[in-house]
Amino acid sequence: MKDLEYQDRFVNCFMNHYRQLYEIHVFTNLDQLKKTKPHEYVVILTEEYSTEDMAGFVERGEILLNLEGYQEVYKIVEKIAHLVVSNDHGKDISKGVVSYQKTGIYSLTREQYQMPFAVLLAKIYSEEKKTLIIDLQGYSGFQNLEVAIGLSGLEDLLSVAMTGKYSKGRLLESIHQEDGFDFVAPVQNNQCLLEGSDDLFTEILNVLASELGYERFVINFGALFPGQVEMMQSCEELFLLSGSEKEGNWREESFYRQLNNLEKESLVKDIKKIIIPHTTKAEYEWRSLVDRWRFGAIGEMVRDMVKKEFLNGTVM
């Protein structure tokens, strides 16, 4: 690719998502590329090539992907990932355990705002660490994102986890990018969430962290599954989105009472309650709501907490 600004954006996006998996070499002309040793994959983002050029790469045993330039960078990165996936399904991986952070989101009175709040957190955390959203809420709205419709996601990961037959290809197939944040495509059938468990979801997080390099997970809680309270307690942060002090507080009181009955007093103390006012018609579209939060008081509050974590050495 000859556009250096576009090249920098492309390389930064690719390495932010896949630096744990692949080494990337960027060339500004085909002659430079031909003089190097063969690569496993060659991606062409220019129209200045010939049929002979393409045949030469095939003869070198390289897997070729030719894309039109000047698409949105994250969409090109995802197309490259799907090319890799198609050649990677047979490669098993081990279930490693590495250090990472978990942030949970839950609500009993402001459930409709969990999805945009998860996006807000992911965008802010991604400024410092590689972050992934895991949607366990059900009917959250992630299902409506065009990039997620009909694609592999959490259902596939649950199936893989139950059999224990992971592969990098299947992991990559389940992860998608949208406007600067990464997320696992949500289940299409919410009954699947009830088949999960704390141990099963934790195993999936371990594999995603060890194999794809994710350092922070934003978990959007909702539908109850076995061990959900235990998974909430294992989060370094748990945000409870709430309305006014009087609005729906009987549901929150019931939640706190259950936690105390389960002897989860430490979880009760650690919950960060966030007051979310009802949105106006002008902010009805969730993307505009995320932007308003991100550059407003709520975003400032989250950034302050992230800074404190770094100062205290709690973010790895």
Side-chain angles (χ1 to χ4, degrees):
M1 59 183 75
K2 292 188 176 182
D3 186 327
L4 296 182
E5 181 180 349
Y6 187 80
Q7 170 185 301
D8 289 341
R9 288 172 52 213
F10 173 81
V11 172
N12 289 335
C13 183
F14 194 92
M15 297 312 294
N16 282 341
H17 294 302
Y18 304 116
R19 67 181 182 271
Q20 299 292 112
L21 294 175
Y22 305 107
E23 182 177 324
I24 182 172
H25 301 266
V26 180
F27 301 90
T28 55
N29 65 65
L30 292 178
D31 288 334
Q32 291 177 338
L33 176 57
K34 291 174 186 176
K35 293 176 182 178
T36 64
K37 64 181 181 179
H39 298 77
E40 188 173 359
Y41 301 95
V42 172
V43 181
I44 305 295
L45 291 173
T46 178
E47 296 179 357
E48 299 177 11
Y49 61 87
S50 66
T51 303
E52 292 181 358
D53 291 327
M54 300 301 99
F57 294 127
V58 174
E59 289 176 5
R60 281 157 51 111
E62 295 166 308
I63 300 172
L64 190 65
L65 177 63
N66 182 27
L67 297 172
E68 295 180 6
Y70 297 101
Q71 301 178 47
E72 292 183 67
V73 171
Y74 74 89
K75 289 185 177 179
I76 291 180
V77 169
E78 185 152 304
K79 287 180 181 179
I80 294 172
H82 285 301
L83 167 72
V84 174
V85 164
S86 65
N87 294 280
D88 192 38
H89 270 296
K91 302 176 183 178
D92 291 334
I93 61 176
S94 60
K95 292 180 270 187
V97 178
V98 295
S99 296
Y100 56 85
Q101 300 281 304
K102 300 193 299 294
T103 296
I105 303 170
Y106 190 53
S107 181
L108 294 159
T109 61
R110 286 289 191 267
E111 299 96 325
Q112 69 270 35
Y113 296 116
Q114 285 185 228
M115 182 259 208
F117 191 77
V119 172
L120 170 72
L121 289 182
K123 286 192 171 189
I124 292 176
Y125 288 139
S126 293
E127 295 171 5
E128 302 290 344
K129 295 292 181 181
K130 188 174 181 181
T131 302
L132 180 68
I133 298 174
I134 306 288
D135 181 30
L136 305 181
Q137 184 183 10
Y139 307 114
S140 65
F142 278 106
Q143 294 91 338
N144 299 332
L145 295 181
E146 183 179 351
V147 71
I149 294 175
L151 298 179
S152 298
L154 188 56
E155 283 181 59
D156 194 49
L157 288 182
L158 282 169
S159 176
V160 168
M162 290 174 182
T163 61
K165 295 181 179 180
Y166 292 92
S167 73
K168 287 181 181 177
R170 297 190 76 172
L171 296 180
L172 287 171
E173 261 190 334
S174 302
I175 294 173
H176 309 281
Q177 290 80 43
E178 167 75 17
D179 191 26
F181 64 91
D182 290 12
F183 68 101
V184 172
V187 297
Q188 299 301 315
N189 180 358
N190 286 300
Q191 287 293 112
C192 295
L193 293 174
L194 303 179
E195 299 174 8
S197 66
D198 176 24
D199 291 340
L200 204 59
F201 288 128
T202 298
E203 179 182 299
I204 290 172
L205 299 187
N206 288 339
V207 173
L208 290 170
S210 63
E211 294 299 324
L212 301 186
Y214 283 102
E215 301 159 291
R216 167 83 70 168
F217 294 98
V218 175
I219 304 171
N220 196 27
F221 289 106
L224 292 174
F225 58 84
Q228 176 165 295
V229 172
E230 284 70 25
M231 192 170 188
M232 286 180 171
Q233 190 166 30
S234 71
C235 292
E236 282 73 22
E237 296 174 318
L238 180 62
F239 291 97
L240 180 67
L241 306 190
S242 181
S244 65
E245 291 299 321
K246 296 181 179 180
E247 186 179 3
N249 60 1
W250 56 86
R251 295 195 69 200
E252 292 180 3
E253 289 175 2
S254 179
F255 175 59
Y256 284 126
R257 187 179 302 111
Q258 181 187 11
L259 293 181
N260 286 318
N261 291 339
L262 294 172
E263 299 182 350
K264 304 292 183 182
E265 291 87 355
S266 60
L267 174 58
V268 173
K269 293 179 182 178
D270 291 339
I271 289 174
K272 294 179 172 68
K273 191 170 181 177
I274 306 293
I275 303 298
I276 303 291
H278 273 303
T279 184
T280 65
K281 290 183 179 180
E283 299 161 337
Y284 182 78
E285 211 280 323
W286 68 268
R287 288 180 179 84
S288 63
L289 183 60
V290 170
D291 288 339
R292 187 178 74 82
W293 284 352
R294 188 179 183 185
F295 301 107
I298 293 178
E300 184 178 351
M301 175 199 64
V302 173
R303 281 194 176 85
D304 286 343
M305 286 189 291
V306 172
K307 289 179 183 178
K308 289 178 182 178
E309 287 179 344
F310 275 98
L311 290 174
N312 294 333
T314 57
V315 175
M316 293 168 277

